[in-house]
Amino acid sequence: MPSACFVTLSRSDYASLRPVALAALADPAIDLRLVAGGSHALARYGNTLQQIEADGLPLHAVTTFLRETDDTPAELAAAFARATAEFTRILTEQRPDYVFIIGDRWEMLAVVSVASMLQIPVVHHSGGDITQGSADNQTRYALTTLSHLHLTALPEHRDRLLRMGEEAWRVIATGEPALTALADYAQASPDIHGRLGLKPGEPFVLATFHPTSFDTAAPVRQVEVFLQALDGITNAVVLTAPNPDAASELFLTKFRDYAAAHPHVRLYEALGAQNYYAAMARARYMIGNSSSGMWESASFRLPVVNIGPRQQGRVHGDNVVNCGLEPAAIAAAIAEATDPAFRAGLDGRNPYVQPDTVTRILDCLKHPWDRQRLLAKHFVDPLGLR
């Protein structure tokens, strides 16, 4: 029975990891080892370790390399060093057959670097994607280079990895696992208005906005323009906390001050996957720059105003209206997204949905791979040179 160490270090990767981990836990052919930590362990992100335990997933190790006040590039670099030390200890103790990770977060670089040094094969989901406006784009391709099996959300992502020199047998298009339980999540929270402190049936807007690495605007300008956009929204606004990137504490402080001054704005450090997806199912529209606006939103026929370059280059459904980080552009995008004809014309097709996604992922973990063949990666030279 192969042992697989699943790692989750933020709410963003947990949304995708959760359905796979629950299926692995129920599969007698897989020995699941779950490691959690990072922003899950921080109060400013809602202490979401409790959510993982409430989901029925056992925690085999908890890592606390992130501190409540970490916010600057230097502080996050120091956190990365602590993460490397902690995962050296954890993976040395666990000695799994595989490490399984999802996404493109900087924290995962520590995980795969250590696994590589310890010669533990890494199975990575989410390679081959593009988000030109974020440092996550560079992280994603570094993760790919250090990983040994690649599970992609889209067939074109697979093609991209093959052109990067990955061997074809290592790359499998599976679909996006976060989408496998959207309907169940939405139905599990029928009273989402009550959970959000809203009146029954009250129209609301879901807002999620993160610092953008490669925007010409400084972080303080990014958040100021975003909050100016919220000024023009008369509906209730459900605002979620940003990811733990550089300047996230600045964003969160600004969000708290804004929510305190605007009674119709409700700020949540962490809604949890069930409530977040239930909110997506019932929101009037979504605004911000979250990957959830690219991945999950199309399944709900939810109009999305995607601001700035963070998600630039990422495939999305016909429900997304892209605009620049500029007040007039955002106002025009909101007008387009809230036009009744726009929502009525959405086809509901989500390009990231594929059948049997979780089964495909588990089959990959259960396959009797030759360990040495996995570890000895062969670069397929696109120039045809040997």
Side-chain angles (χ1 to χ4, degrees), residues 15-167:
S16 296
L17 185 101
R18 179 184 181 275
V20 184
L22 288 171
L25 182 64
D27 193 324
I30 297 179
D31 177 13
L32 171 70
R33 317 272 183 85
L34 185 63
V35 178
S39 62
H40 284 303
L42 299 184
R44 63 171 163 151
Y45 296 105
N47 289 317
T48 46
L49 288 174
Q50 299 172 5
Q51 176 190 332
I52 297 172
E53 293 177 313
D55 286 336
L57 289 167
L59 293 177
H60 292 80
V62 173
T63 172
T64 56
F65 58 87
L66 265 178
R67 298 171 179 169
E68 291 288 351
T69 57
D70 286 343
D71 190 50
T72 67
E75 289 167 341
L76 295 182
F80 180 86
R82 293 191 294 270
T84 301
E86 290 195 29
F87 275 101
T88 300
R89 173 183 58 80
I90 291 169
L91 294 180
T92 299
E93 292 173 353
Q94 295 290 330
R95 295 305 302 183
D97 294 308
Y98 304 102
V99 170
F100 178 67
I101 64 167
I102 290 181
D104 50 25
R105 299 284 309 156
W106 62 266
E107 301 96 316
M108 290 299 179
L109 278 175
V111 180
V112 299
S113 297
V114 171
S116 177
M117 294 293 290
L118 295 176
Q119 295 192 350
I120 302 171
V122 175
V123 182
H124 174 224
H125 186 287
S126 302
D129 201 353
I130 292 180
T131 50
Q132 300 280 25
S134 170
D136 292 348
N137 201 58
Q138 298 172 21
T139 299
R140 186 183 309 111
Y141 288 95
L143 293 173
T144 290
T145 299
L146 288 171
S147 298
H148 305 90
L149 288 170
H150 313 285
L151 312 178
T152 68
L154 294 174
E156 50 260 54
H157 294 170
R158 179 180 187 273
D159 293 342
R160 193 168 286 128
L161 294 189
L162 297 182
R163 296 194 180 201
M164 285 178 58
E166 294 292 332
E167 298 169 278

Side-chain angles (χ1 to χ4, degrees), residues 221-243:
R221 177 60 179 167
Q222 294 175 32
V223 69
E224 285 176 351
V225 172
F226 175 67
L227 294 178
Q228 287 176 25
L230 297 191
D231 286 340
I233 298 175
T234 57
N235 297 126
V237 175
V238 175
L239 177 62
T240 62
N243 286 333

Side-chain angles (χ1 to χ4, degrees), residues 152-230:
T152 68
L154 294 174
E156 50 260 54
H157 294 170
R158 179 180 187 273
D159 293 342
R160 193 168 286 128
L161 294 189
L162 297 182
R163 296 194 180 201
M164 285 178 58
E166 294 292 332
E167 298 169 278
W169 63 270
R170 295 181 184 270
V171 191
I172 304 165
T174 65
E176 168 51 49
L179 306 178
T180 60
L182 291 188
D184 293 340
Y185 275 131
Q187 294 170 7
S189 298
D191 183 32
I192 188 61
H193 283 81
R195 289 173 179 250
L196 297 175
L198 304 172
K199 299 175 183 176
E202 181 180 0
F204 68 93
V205 175
L206 185 60
T208 304
F209 192 70
H210 308 292
T212 299
S213 311
F214 305 133
D215 200 310
T216 55
V220 67
R221 177 60 179 167
Q222 294 175 32
V223 69
E224 285 176 351
V225 172
F226 175 67
L227 294 178
Q228 287 176 25
L230 297 191

Side-chain angles (χ1 to χ4, degrees), residues 6 66 290:
F6 283 47
L66 265 178
S290 170

Side-chain angles (χ1 to χ4, degrees), residues 272-340:
Q274 179 174 309
N275 288 333
Y276 188 73
Y277 291 141
M280 290 184 76
R282 292 167 177 80
R284 187 180 176 212
Y285 63 95
M286 183 176 181
I287 185 170
N289 61 4
S290 170
S291 61
S292 59
M294 303 288 109
W295 286 353
E296 295 98 328
S297 62
S299 294
F300 296 110
R301 289 186 170 86
L302 175 65
V304 173
V305 175
N306 177 56
I307 302 173
R310 184 180 177 88
Q311 303 298 336
Q312 183 182 349
R314 178 166 267 169
V315 174
H316 57 73
D318 63 353
N319 61 310
V320 177
V321 180
N322 296 301
C323 65
L325 184 71
E326 194 274 323
I330 298 172
I334 292 174
E336 180 178 349
T338 56
D339 185 335

